Amino acid sequence: MPRLRHAAIGLALSAALFALNPVNTTAAQPAKKLVDPPATDPATMKVAKGFKVELLYSVPKDEMGSWVCMCVDPKGRLIVSDQYGALYRVSVPAPGVKGEAAIEKIPAAIGMAQGLLWAFDALYVVVNAKAPDPKNPKAQIDISGLYRVTSSKNDTLDTVELLRAFEGGGGEHGPHAVMLTPDGKRLTVVCGNQTKLTKFDTTKVPPVWGEDHLLPRLPDGNGFMKGVMGPGGAIYNVTPDGKTWELFSVGFRNQYDAAYNKAGDLFTYDADMEWDFNTPWYRPTRVCFVTPGSEWGWRNGAGKWPVYYPDTLPPVVNVGPGSPTGVTFGYGAKFPAKYQDAFFICDWSYGKLYATHMKPSGAGYTAELEEFVTGTPLPLTDVVINPVDGAMYFTIGGRKTKSGLYRVTYAGNESTAPGTAVNPNDLEFKRNLNAHAKRRVVESMSDPERFKLLGGAWRELSNEDRFIRFAARTVLEQQDAKQWAEKALADKDANAGAQALLALVRVSAPCPSHVKPDSPKPDPALRAKILDALAKFDYAKLTAEQKLDLARVYQVLFNRFGQPTADERKAVVAKLGAAFPDPNRFVNGMLLEILVYLQDDGAAPKAMKLLKDAPTQEEQIEYARSLRMLKTGWTPELRKEYFTWFVKAAAYKGGSSFNKFLKLIRDDAILTLTPDEKTTLGALLTAEPATVKLPSEPARPFVKAYKIADLTDALDKGLKSGRDYDRGRKLFAVGKCFACHRFDSEGGSNAPDLTAVAGRFSPRDLLESIIDPSKEVSDQYQAVEIRTTDDRVIIGRIVNLSADNVMVNTNMLEPGANTTVDRKLIESMRTSKVSLMPAGLMDTFKEDEVLDLVAYILSRGDRKSAMFKK
């Protein structure tokens, strides 16, 4: 980077800090008494058994802003940053000792940080901000970057050095956290998806990424980040001097923070896009196990990669809607062993501090979420463990909301001695340990010499563990393709073949979205060889996962190599057309994309039947999105049926971009019509969908207002076999379960994900929670009742905050049903004892239908479960 730019950034940073907070170098003083209301009272919070929360300091907004990140220095003092202002050093009394927090402003001309770390005798600061241009006060320059702050004398942090400037900062998706690598030799830096990739010296991620959409991607309906290409948010490893950068992982949306576990594995908590609620491309907030070279599939708008793509990885656990902020492991805390090993994650918008209890699973992990601290409102921004006193500290604030500093300590009866929640002699633990070791060996083969020495990673391409397969393909893509291309073309194993062919496609031709002047030109002869290799797999005999993997190879192949020849097209249409439709709805979605791309004459009638029969709006939208690009094979009746679907879909509910996404699909579809088709369809094309009346569907007759006693005998006998998976899935939609609950990667997110409910509830407990939803309401989805000074009563869930505005969702069936409340007008706020889930959802179901619904929920999405055997 030119020295002039470094100088301009330094001047702008200094000017911005002096303008916001004139430097005061006075010694630490007791906190001033506040005239504004204090931060959220710990007495109103729900806290895990045996723990207590103290409010140590209510941050005066006008003086110190809103704190968003934090670290601990060697003396156990906290260093915090105002989102829009300076850094402060905080000394707190020891746990159990009376006293007040002492706040000292750090004199260094730096702030607006979203990442802080004390390491190598210095304070590392990740600034995410824009500031007035010193040369043009009407303009702004990006002052985001990784900085190092040191002391010139007497423990006074006053010297600032810019190590690396970032582009794309200043917003909430810019550069974020910084932490120490497990070996203590490097830094790990986290950047959100609006931060442009910085220059890196080495990479664990094969630099062959692309958008890789076969059909044109729908941009965000509201235009957010339109035109921004992948790979999205990135994580780097950096030398302490900031000179050498290694790209470690990509494809995140807006991961704010990350942390390493004792095994040296990295985890982050990535954000969702709430505007995408109830679309097939919506992805909940999720905890990700970040392996070297991993790709997490963020793409703009509807282009996000689904979790079943083989070129991305699955999350450890889906959390649901929210705004991820700070994370930490509990190591060093004076907590029971279970919590020492927990991964603590902060959700800003819903006010949840979760304890994520990890469990090794093969080469990866699974996890269970526990609500550790919850409050209303509680806009959590960061969390740390102080190794000096063994306490947890967290901050609330951000977006100029009321900020506070809190401490969590354990006051229960369990031992807090250092320990582990894992039994090292457990056989399952040992198997998982072996899988982890194998994955790491494979990852080490990215070095060409180790690749040769260890015999390559080929045998692991067919490993049953997805993380090992992914690592093996990543290693393959970092080797010279001339060494392994023929082997990839000859492999007859569906698992290894899919991974190897995908690697061959990715390294042999660039994605059109990332073509550079020196990019290799696609070789039609190689495309033909890859198609021949794909043709040898008998699609009908493959598992659903194998079908998805091979379909992805076709998609990326055609995207990167372009249209096949007429003969190649004919062969692929014959092969995949015969396999369409499939029992698996995700396989159908991928096959339809390919058949539409190839303009298969037979796709329209099959796809329209799927569209008509699909029980969820997500599945319907998936088919409608692909069909918008199909020009052939339509009859007048099918065309009318397709455009009539948009009238039906106008009543569907979703996030802020939902209706605009539907309009984009409809507009694209209109462009495929001939003049005669436009004339025939007439007013159906020009009228607003909401103004077109459709015949109303007959109402289901009332059967019974069920009580749990009515179904006890049926549950004992009726779930062993003979249930109907497809009818259960349809009833899950009829009962409006999909509107709020996520299940098997589809559905809403305003209520608990029910995919793994079988591991937590018995059939009776599950059914009772449906029949009487208010008997026991999940803390995670509990409503609040707000009473205001102007005599309003608002009941719902707090979903967002901004300054003094509190946004409340009042209808779980409609994500956009939000009411804004001025916090200054709130007279009282308490937890509601009434569930937002309505009662009586099964009153129109017959007993057999109730059993099919319960079996479907308990199946975890597996249609081969014994419950469905005839």
Side-chain angles (χ1 to χ4, degrees):
M1 177 180 297
R3 290 183 179 271
L4 288 175
R5 188 178 173 215
H6 271 82
I9 291 172
L11 284 171
L13 180 61
S14 298
L17 264 295
F18 274 102
L20 286 167
N21 292 288
V23 173
N24 179 353
T25 58
T26 58
Q29 297 179 1
K32 297 179 181 179
K33 291 187 178 181
L34 306 176
V35 294
D36 55 332
T40 304
D41 185 351
T44 66
M45 301 176 191
K46 287 192 173 182
V47 186
K49 184 179 179 180
F51 291 88
K52 69 174 183 177
V53 177
E54 304 168 74
L55 173 59
L56 298 177
Y57 187 59
S58 284
V59 181
K61 190 191 309 184
D62 294 339
E63 297 175 41
M64 298 183 186
S66 199
W67 295 355
V68 295
C69 65
M70 174 171 50
C71 74
V72 183
D73 76 6
K75 296 182 179 179
R77 298 169 298 187
L78 304 174
I79 298 175
V80 299
S81 179
D82 171 16
Q83 184 175 3
Y84 307 106
L87 303 183
Y88 299 91
R89 188 154 53 190
V90 184
S91 299
V92 298
V97 177
K98 291 184 178 181
E100 294 184 329
I103 315 298
E104 173 191 1
K105 184 175 179 188
I106 291 175
I110 192 168
M112 295 171 282
Q114 293 191 8
L116 295 169
L117 170 70
W118 188 278
F120 309 109
D121 297 320
L123 176 66
Y124 287 88
V125 182
V126 177
V127 172
N128 179 5
K130 292 183 183 293
D133 187 339
K135 297 181 179 179
N136 181 7
K138 294 182 179 180
Q140 286 192 320
I141 64 172
D142 195 343
I143 60 173
S144 302
L146 174 64
Y147 295 78
R148 180 166 55 188
V149 182
T150 53
S151 174
S152 63
K153 58 180 180 179
N154 301 328
D155 197 30
T156 301
L157 291 168
D158 54 6
T159 305
V160 178
E161 177 187 5
L162 173 61
L163 302 181
R164 173 65 62 94
F166 293 123
E167 294 183 60
E172 294 187 347
H173 293 234
H176 297 310
V178 56
M179 67 221 64
L180 199 62
T181 56
D183 62 8
K185 296 180 179 180
R186 292 189 294 175
L187 311 172
T188 295
V189 177
V190 172
C191 295
N193 62 349
Q194 280 186 325
T195 316
K196 294 183 180 180
L197 282 180
T198 194
K199 181 180 180 297
F200 49 87
D201 303 280
T202 59
T203 178
K204 295 291 187 183
V205 184
V208 293
W209 50 73
E211 296 295 289
D212 282 324
H213 301 130
L214 188 55
L215 299 178
R217 180 255 314 278
L218 294 169
D220 178 75
N222 285 318
F224 182 68
M225 293 186 70
K226 183 177 181 180
V228 177
M229 298 291 104
I235 295 179
Y236 305 87
N237 288 326
V238 188
T239 53
D241 59 8
K243 293 182 178 179
T244 305
W245 290 66
E246 175 190 70
L247 182 61
F248 187 78
S249 181
V250 297
F252 301 97
R253 182 174 183 269
N254 192 29
Q255 77 298 19
Y256 184 82
D257 199 358
Y260 289 94
N261 72 357
K262 288 179 178 177
D265 289 331
L266 182 63
F267 296 85
T268 191
Y269 180 25
D270 199 13
D272 66 348
M273 177 55 160
E274 68 275 11
W275 292 358
D276 294 350
F277 280 171
N278 294 18
T279 66
W281 48 87
Y282 172 71
R283 303 190 312 186
T285 68
R286 54 196 191 154
V287 172
C288 300
F289 167 33
V290 187
T291 58
S294 50
E295 153 72 90
W296 294 92
W298 175 84
R299 300 297 184 268
N300 173 259
K304 291 178 288 293
W305 293 1
V307 71
Y308 48 80
Y309 275 10
D311 33 351
T312 187
L313 285 167
V316 175
V317 62
N318 282 324
V319 179
S323 297
T325 48
V327 306
T328 189
F329 276 93
Y331 308 139
K334 292 180 180 178
F335 291 175
K338 174 183 177 181
Y339 295 98
Q340 292 177 35
D341 286 345
F343 181 50
F344 292 95
I345 60 175
C346 295
D347 176 4
W348 182 87
S349 58
Y350 288 93
K352 310 286 185 183
L353 175 54
Y354 294 98
T356 310
H357 301 291
M358 300 279 189
K359 181 180 179 182
S361 177
Y365 294 84
T366 58
E368 290 187 2
L369 292 170
E370 176 191 357
E371 290 193 12
F372 186 67
V373 178
T374 66
T376 305
L378 197 69
L380 292 143
T381 52
D382 207 359
V383 58
V384 297
I385 304 296
N386 190 333
V388 174
D389 62 20
M392 170 187 282
Y393 293 83
F394 68 81
T395 49
I396 65 171
R399 293 186 185 172
K400 300 183 179 179
T401 58
K402 183 64 184 177
S403 193
L405 171 66
Y406 298 81
R407 177 164 59 201
V408 183
T409 51
Y410 183 68
N413 298 320
E414 292 186 50
S415 170
T416 59
T420 175
V422 176
N423 177 6
N425 296 317
D426 182 78
L427 291 178
E428 183 180 1
F429 173 78
K430 289 182 178 180
R431 285 194 294 269
N432 293 327
L433 199 64
N434 290 335
H436 271 62
K438 177 175 284 188
R439 173 181 54 77
R440 289 185 168 175
V441 169
V442 173
E443 289 165 352
S444 74
M445 296 181 194
S446 58
D447 176 79
E449 293 304 316
R450 286 188 63 81
F451 184 81
K452 293 177 183 178
L453 180 66
L454 298 174
W458 204 274
R459 61 183 175 274
E460 305 306 340
L461 290 170
S462 59
N463 194 294
E464 64 179 13
D465 190 291
R466 184 168 172 180
F467 279 86
I468 294 176
R469 291 201 306 272
F470 186 96
R473 179 184 55 77
T474 301
V475 163
L476 206 60
E477 292 177 354
Q478 293 171 310
Q479 314 304 316
D480 185 353
K482 294 178 182 178
Q483 299 177 11
W484 54 267
E486 290 303 320
K487 191 172 183 179
L489 294 167
D491 201 310
K492 295 181 180 179
D493 178 82
N495 292 322
Q499 297 292 332
L501 292 173
L502 180 59
L504 184 58
V505 171
R506 283 164 49 90
V507 302
S508 301
C511 181
S513 60
H514 289 70
V515 171
K516 298 178 181 178
D518 59 346
S519 295
K521 302 296 182 184
D523 180 4
L526 180 57
R527 181 187 62 219
K529 290 180 180 180
I530 294 173
L531 286 172
D532 286 343
L534 288 167
K536 66 177 175 277
F537 298 111
D538 186 346
Y539 220 73
K541 295 181 180 179
L542 302 178
T543 65
E545 186 176 25
Q546 290 169 336
K547 291 175 184 177
L548 290 167
D549 287 356
L550 287 168
R552 181 61 175 160
V553 179
Y554 280 107
Q555 288 184 341
V556 181
L557 174 67
F558 290 140
N559 175 60
R560 296 197 176 206
F561 281 76
Q563 281 281 350
T565 66
D567 287 342
E568 289 170 346
R569 173 192 171 280
K570 183 178 179 180
V572 175
V573 167
K575 180 180 181 65
L576 299 186
F580 179 71
D582 185 88
N584 184 287
R585 84 102 157 154
F586 301 112
V587 172
N588 283 332
M590 294 192 73
L591 291 179
L592 182 59
E593 279 192 42
I594 300 167
L595 295 173
V596 168
Y597 174 80
L598 297 174
Q599 294 297 310
D600 173 27
D601 290 339
K606 294 179 181 179
M608 285 306 303
K609 186 177 188 310
L610 287 173
L611 178 62
K612 181 180 179 181
D613 295 341
T616 71
Q617 67 182 50
E618 289 87 354
E619 184 179 358
Q620 293 174 29
I621 293 169
E622 185 70 28
Y623 302 140
R625 176 173 61 159
S626 290
L627 285 170
R628 83 190 201 278
M629 306 306 299
L630 184 64
K631 299 178 181 179
T632 63
W634 291 99
T635 64
E637 292 76 18
L638 288 174
R639 277 293 198 192
K640 182 177 180 181
E641 186 180 341
Y642 176 67
F643 280 96
T644 300
W645 174 83
F646 290 97
V647 179
K648 176 183 177 183
Y652 293 162
K653 305 298 182 183
S656 175
S657 294
F658 186 82
N659 290 328
K660 294 177 182 178
F661 273 127
L662 292 180
K663 184 179 185 301
L664 290 173
I665 295 172
R666 185 169 173 257
D667 289 348
D668 281 349
I670 290 174
L671 294 176
T672 68
L673 298 174
T674 66
D676 287 344
E677 287 175 323
K678 290 181 181 178
T679 301
T680 300
L681 293 169
L684 191 58
L685 300 180
T686 57
E688 286 297 317
T691 66
V692 181
K693 291 187 177 181
L694 295 176
S696 59
E697 296 184 7
R700 290 175 60 93
F702 174 81
V703 175
K704 190 173 187 177
Y706 287 102
K707 295 181 179 179
I708 190 64
D710 299 328
L711 296 161
T712 301
D713 291 342
L715 285 175
D716 292 339
K717 302 173 184 177
L719 293 177
K720 295 180 180 179
S721 64
R723 303 271 50 93
D724 188 323
Y725 177 93
D726 290 311
R727 187 166 71 161
R729 181 166 177 259
K730 289 180 179 178
L731 291 165
F732 198 80
V734 169
K736 300 189 182 301
C737 306
F738 273 122
C740 300
H741 294 277
R742 205 156 177 81
F743 187 86
D744 193 23
S745 299
E746 61 181 333
S749 292
N750 286 329
D753 188 323
L754 298 181
T755 308
V757 75
R760 304 193 302 272
F761 291 91
S762 68
R764 178 189 172 90
D765 291 338
L766 172 63
L767 192 56
E768 190 170 32
S769 68
I770 299 173
I771 292 173
D772 186 5
S774 293
K775 183 174 182 179
E776 186 173 345
V777 183
S778 166
D779 289 345
Q780 187 179 352
Y781 296 91
Q782 206 159 31
V784 295
E785 179 185 290
I786 298 174
R787 294 181 179 270
T788 66
T789 55
D790 54 354
D791 296 325
R792 289 187 297 158
V793 178
I794 300 98
I795 298 176
R797 294 180 65 209
I798 294 178
V799 297
N800 214 331
L801 303 121
S802 180
D804 287 326
N805 291 324
V806 179
M807 190 174 292
V808 184
N809 175 258
T810 55
N811 183 354
M812 292 180 71
L813 299 175
E814 189 173 347
N818 295 326
T819 298
T820 300
V821 184
D822 187 334
R823 190 181 180 193
K824 296 190 294 292
L825 300 180
I826 295 176
E827 187 176 76
S828 67
M829 186 186 305
R830 65 181 184 181
T831 301
S832 174
K833 296 181 180 180
V834 179
S835 172
L836 286 172
M837 176 178 169
L841 294 176
M842 297 193 308
D843 289 356
T844 64
F845 291 5
K846 298 176 182 177
E847 186 176 287
D848 265 1
E849 292 178 320
V850 172
L851 294 176
D852 285 340
L853 172 64
V854 173
Y856 173 72
I857 298 173
L858 293 174
S859 74
R860 304 175 188 253
D862 179 13
R863 63 173 60 246
K864 294 182 179 180
S865 167
M867 292 181 290
F868 305 117
K869 290 183 179 179
K870 302 298 182 183

